[in-house]
Amino acid sequence: MAKISITKIFTFDSAHSLPGHKGNCANLHGHTYRLEVTVSTQNGGLVTGGSSEGMVMDFGDLKSIVNTEIIEQADHKLLNDVYDFRTTSENLADHYYHVLEEKLSPLGVEVCRIRLWESPTSYVEVGQ
């Protein structure tokens, strides 16, 4: 059986700066981030039994977790004040991957990929 996964897409607006960076990102600026979260069951198949039978995960449940753990923390915020690490897209995506991995693993759900777009033409991807 092929591995089955689902992806849910989110957007949020945040500002940040990268002090000491040699380019424009050293200055305070903002992005409309696009966050793509791809997950599968830990066995790569579908849920059997219960109200989620035939699904990897209910999209509404995934939305609720991502909104609580990421979007509400970052949307319309200065990311430098939210996180204690350098707020590059790479660091943000890696952080989001691990936050969701911790929340979803006990549910039998595996994070396959986090893709974080910081502009319409630039993204970072973290995954297995």
Side-chain angles (χ1 to χ4, degrees):
M1 174 191 251
K3 182 175 182 176
I4 301 171
S5 62
I6 63 169
T7 300
K8 184 91 176 128
I9 299 171
F10 304 84
T11 59
F12 61 97
D13 298 298
S14 300
H16 74 139
S17 65
L18 300 175
H21 182 69
K22 66 181 176 181
N24 288 336
C25 291
N27 301 316
L28 182 62
H29 64 285
H31 297 285
T32 296
Y33 290 97
R34 175 182 163 128
L35 175 65
E36 299 178 20
V37 177
T38 302
V39 300
S40 67
T41 58
Q42 290 172 338
N43 66 9
L46 300 175
V47 173
T48 56
S51 68
S52 295
E53 182 168 354
M55 299 179 179
V56 168
M57 179 180 195
D58 185 284
F59 282 110
D61 293 341
L62 180 58
K63 178 181 178 180
S64 178
I65 291 168
V66 173
N67 278 337
T68 299
E69 299 300 324
I70 297 172
I71 307 303
E72 291 174 9
Q73 309 302 313
D75 190 37
H76 285 81
K77 304 280 176 54
L78 178 58
L79 297 179
N80 301 65
D81 291 344
V82 174
Y83 301 115
D84 62 357
F85 54 82
R86 189 168 171 85
T87 57
T88 63
S89 290
E90 293 87 344
N91 285 339
L92 290 168
D94 185 62
H95 175 71
Y96 298 155
Y97 181 94
H98 289 97
V99 164
L100 292 177
E101 184 178 53
E102 182 178 308
K103 291 295 177 182
L104 295 173
S105 183
L107 304 177
V109 177
E110 159 183 22
V111 181
C112 300
R113 182 186 74 208
I114 296 294
R115 184 177 283 171
L116 182 65
W117 296 77
E118 75 166 29
S119 76
T121 61
S122 304
Y123 71 83
V124 60
E125 186 171 289
V126 178
Q128 302 173 1

